[in-house]
Amino acid sequence: MLSRIPIILEKIKKEDLDKEILRIAIIAELDAVNLYEQMASLTENKYLKKLLLDIAREEKTHVGEFQTLLLKLDEEQVRELEKGKKEVEELMEE
């Protein structure tokens, strides 16, 4: 994503706006995790690597925070996440 919002927020229905903002925030945090982890894998400086990985972990916490609020606002998302979880568990049993 790198600072570009993938949708036009002004076109979103008012009742869906907060959910879309949360989804965009999750995308941004995951993008940051990927960026920091990729940079950490490239550097040979152990202090820079340690710092980048620490910041990536913090971004993962932010994902959890945004997701927690999204799940409180979107019951359909809760149901679909549960379906996805069950599908993966079934695949892992095979």
Side-chain angles (χ1 to χ4, degrees):
M1 190 168 97
L2 294 175
S3 300
R4 187 157 184 197
I5 296 175
I7 61 172
I8 300 170
L9 289 174
E10 292 79 13
K11 292 187 176 185
I12 302 298
K13 290 187 268 180
K14 188 172 178 77
E15 62 268 18
D16 295 329
L17 184 59
D18 289 344
K19 293 182 277 189
E20 291 303 319
I21 289 170
L22 287 164
R23 288 187 178 98
I24 292 166
I26 290 169
I27 292 168
E29 296 295 344
L30 290 172
D31 196 36
V33 168
N34 287 333
L35 178 64
Y36 294 135
E37 288 183 348
Q38 287 175 27
M39 290 189 297
S41 72
L42 294 173
T43 187
E44 294 180 14
N45 182 306
K46 68 179 184 179
Y47 302 111
L48 178 55
K49 181 184 292 282
K50 187 174 182 177
L51 177 61
L52 289 167
L53 292 175
D54 181 61
I55 292 170
R57 276 189 296 277
E58 291 174 15
E59 302 302 342
K60 291 175 183 179
T61 299
H62 298 160
V63 170
E65 292 171 329
F66 288 129
Q67 184 179 28
T68 298
L69 185 52
L70 177 61
L71 295 176
K72 291 190 180 297
L73 299 178
D74 190 342
E75 293 177 14
E76 180 182 24
Q77 185 73 64
V78 172
R79 290 190 303 273
E80 294 304 318
L81 280 174
E82 190 57 37
K83 283 182 190 176
K85 180 180 177 182
K86 286 179 184 175
E87 288 179 16
V88 169
E89 289 171 351
E90 289 171 4
L91 285 173
M92 293 178 73
E93 290 176 358
E94 295 177 358

